[in-house]
Amino acid sequence: MPTTEPKKTAVDYLNRFTSLPVALDLLFEKHLTLLPPDTRADRNDAYYVERYQDARKLLSVLAVCFSMRRETFHHWSVFSSGLSGVCIGTCQHA
């Protein structure tokens, strides 16, 4: 009977694009900072997170964003802050 290989997913990376001060805080304090939706640059995302919070009658909904793909110009321009932008990531090897 043939053995079946586990199906490989398209997710190769887990990246966090951010600024150097946030990355240093993460590394030295060993915690992630979760932010409320009103701090998000993407008002479309913020709108739906706020609707979710209202519908569930939650006091707050906090989030942090990760990317599951290789970096793109979009990741750097939107999620990292100018010249102080950094990417903290992991790579899954087969």
Side-chain angles (χ1 to χ4, degrees):
M1 185 165 155
T3 61
T4 57
E5 294 285 324
K7 185 176 180 182
K8 291 186 180 182
T9 65
V11 178
D12 293 325
Y13 300 89
L14 185 60
N15 294 319
R16 170 77 175 126
F17 292 87
T18 190
S19 66
L20 183 57
V22 172
L24 291 173
D25 183 59
L26 180 141
L27 294 170
F28 288 109
E29 299 300 325
K30 296 183 172 83
H31 69 259
L32 283 172
T33 300
L34 304 176
L35 299 172
D38 61 348
T39 63
R40 298 180 70 93
D42 185 337
R43 293 309 307 154
N44 190 50
D45 282 355
Y47 174 82
Y48 286 102
V49 171
E50 290 165 353
R51 299 297 66 78
Y52 176 82
Q53 179 178 341
D54 293 344
R56 295 288 188 133
K57 297 180 179 31
L58 301 171
L59 295 177
S60 66
V61 174
L62 306 174
V64 63
C65 293
F66 291 89
S67 168
M68 297 186 305
R69 301 286 185 199
R70 287 190 179 269
E71 65 193 62
T72 66
F73 175 77
H74 171 77
H75 295 125
W76 285 107
S77 65
V78 173
F79 299 109
S80 57
S81 175
L83 295 176
S84 72
V86 297
C87 176
I88 300 171
T90 62
C91 179
Q92 298 174 354
H93 296 283

